[in-house]
Amino acid sequence: MKENEKFVGIIGLGTCVPDTVVTNKDLEKRVDTSDEWIVERTGIKERRIAEPGIATSDLATAAARKALADAGVSADEIDLIIVATATPDMFFPSVACLVQDNLKASKAAAFDLGAGCSGFVYGVVTGTQFIKSGLYKKVLVIGAETLSRILDWTDRNTCVLFGDGAGAVVLGEVADGCGVLGAHLGAEGAGGDLLKLPGGGSRNPSSPETIEGRMHYVHMNGNEVFKFATKIMGEAALEALKNANLTAADVDVLVPHQANIRIIQSAAKRLKMPMDKVIVNVDKYGNTSAASIPIALEEAVRTGRVKKDHVVVLVGFGAGLTWAACVIKWCKEDNTIA
Ligand code: ACO
């Protein structure tokens, strides 16, 4: 431990998922697929889809309010809001600024962070640095998505995989030896073409042609993303553990990005970790991108799977390509989430 080192951890959590459940059976009516195929190849049984009129900032704000209540922190104590998202309400203002206004967190700086599904862990690691440096005391990190708005609902290769939701955490100073102990962030821009939304940006501004070419939807090479994910999840977790001077044997709970049960199983295998230490809720929510890890973490804390003094590893991968892992010593006393 370095002299005057600050330890930074999660002091509050909250989530918000839309009420509307879309099952695999529902999707059988839209595209040529089957419940059996989706469950066997992905582990997904159902997902939540935001009702018309609900945008990413609405889910983000609701999750943030719960996280603040859980932390016992008021909005005006927040110094910085980071929202990890690939599905902002609009190009600008950022979702973080919309949330800042909704919460009346008037003294908070605010920005969005784009790292695909790795975004929430990127956000936790970024927010931690601001507190460690002494610049800020309390940081709100939110992963929030409405992927349903950028899916091609006629493309069975992608539309069955994703869902909407948000998860938020409040970061603050914690007891010595607790909180974020190590991290590893990475990117491989050369793989960017494997998962992208090509239309509507400065490369291909929105036009009748981009609409006709369905360029405003998610385009994905599922097989290649799958291969990348199975390789990187375990490696990223091991790098973060090395950075924390720990090994996989020290881990009590793994909270992986919820994209596909087979990817999660391969990460667990790489870490030689039994599945009973691994949090899985992809069956209920599908892949909620940047929201998946905080949603899974909140569930794990609320249900007592994560307990005081546990070593918890968060690990994700996503568009970019990106990956991110962090190791947290869980020292939050009260596991009851407001
Ligand atoms: N229902 C039925 N058949 C389907 C479906 C579907 N929903 N989707 C694809 N198929 C078909 C394909 O067309 C293909 O048929 P063909 O052989 O006649 O061409 C067949 O199933 C096999 O397709 P594969 O792509 O080989 O299936 P695979 O076992 O690889 O599973 C999947 C596909 C689930 C997409 C897998 O590759 C995967 O999970 N990839 C990773 C995706 C991912 O995690 N993306 C998110 C990244 S994170 C982020 O930033 C958002």
Side-chain angles (χ1 to χ4, degrees):
M1 187 175 134
K2 292 171 218 128
E3 210 183 327
N4 295 329
E5 184 174 1
K6 285 186 185 13
F7 287 86
V8 179
I10 292 172
I11 59 170
L13 302 100
T15 64
C16 173
V17 291
D19 292 334
T20 305
V21 177
V22 173
T23 65
N24 294 344
K25 284 273 172 218
D26 295 327
L27 292 179
E28 285 178 2
K29 294 174 204 142
R30 286 188 179 216
V31 286
D32 180 16
T33 191
S34 66
D35 175 48
E36 194 188 5
W37 190 96
I38 301 171
V39 171
E40 191 188 304
R41 310 305 288 167
T42 73
I44 300 166
K45 293 181 181 156
E46 58 189 42
R47 70 287 292 141
R48 302 297 180 97
I49 299 296
E51 295 76 24
I54 297 295
T56 297
S57 67
D58 299 316
L59 302 179
T61 302
R65 287 194 207 285
K66 290 187 194 163
L68 288 170
D70 184 45
V73 165
S74 66
D76 55 16
E77 290 176 73
I78 295 295
D79 300 299
L80 172 66
I81 300 171
I82 302 173
V83 178
T85 187
T87 48
D89 295 32
M90 55 193 107
F91 268 140
F92 52 86
S94 66
V95 176
C97 282
L98 298 171
V99 171
Q100 191 243 25
D101 182 43
N102 290 344
L103 297 176
K104 303 291 171 237
S106 50
K107 89 169 196 219
F111 65 87
D112 284 1
L113 186 157
C117 305
S118 314
F120 176 76
V121 180
Y122 261 76
V124 167
V125 175
T126 304
T128 297
Q129 308 316 309
F130 278 104
I131 299 175
K132 274 188 180 283
S133 73
L135 188 63
Y136 294 141
K137 287 195 161 37
K138 300 274 189 301
V139 176
L140 184 58
V141 181
I142 308 168
E145 304 281 11
T146 44
L147 270 300
S148 62
R149 302 282 154 73
I150 58 165
L151 291 175
D152 182 345
W153 288 100
T154 65
D155 176 15
R156 68 176 184 178
N157 291 294
T158 51
C159 77
V160 303
L161 302 177
F162 299 96
D164 300 336
V169 297
V170 180
L171 300 177
E173 224 178 306
V174 291
D176 287 1
C178 292
V180 178
L181 302 183
H184 172 69
L185 306 179
E188 191 177 279
D193 270 347
L194 298 178
L195 181 53
K196 63 182 179 184
L197 192 150
S202 58
R203 179 70 61 197
N204 301 297
S206 297
S207 68
E209 289 73 35
T210 62
I211 303 289
E212 201 177 333
R214 309 187 85 73
M215 290 166 74
H216 51 296
Y217 293 130
V218 172
H219 290 241
M220 182 178 74
N221 180 332
N223 272 320
E224 289 305 314
V225 173
F226 187 88
K227 277 189 235 161
F228 158 74
T230 49
K231 180 173 145 297
I232 206 68
M233 289 266 275
E235 282 177 18
L238 288 172
E239 284 298 320
L241 284 162
K242 195 157 70 167
N243 183 242
N245 291 319
L246 296 171
T247 70
D250 298 311
V251 179
D252 296 295
V253 181
L254 181 73
V255 185
H257 171 43
Q258 307 286 313
N260 182 318
I261 185 66
R262 293 184 292 143
I263 296 172
I264 294 172
Q265 284 162 343
S266 81
K269 197 168 163 200
R270 176 81 177 83
L271 297 168
K272 299 191 177 66
M273 197 174 284
M275 282 303 286
D276 62 7
K277 289 188 173 185
V278 182
I279 305 301
V280 177
N281 65 7
V282 68
D283 52 322
K284 289 188 286 193
Y285 303 116
N287 178 349
T288 56
S289 189
S292 95
I293 291 176
I295 290 173
L297 177 64
E298 188 267 1
E299 183 174 311
V301 172
R302 180 165 36 82
T303 57
R305 299 274 304 273
V306 168
K307 294 189 170 65
K308 189 169 180 304
D309 294 330
H310 271 170
V311 172
V312 180
V313 171
L314 314 182
V315 59
F317 68 94
L321 300 166
T322 57
W323 56 92
C326 76
V327 182
I328 298 175
K329 173 95 180 285
W330 198 262
C331 293
K332 200 172 174 312
E333 286 282 355
D334 178 11
N335 274 352
T336 318
I337 297 209

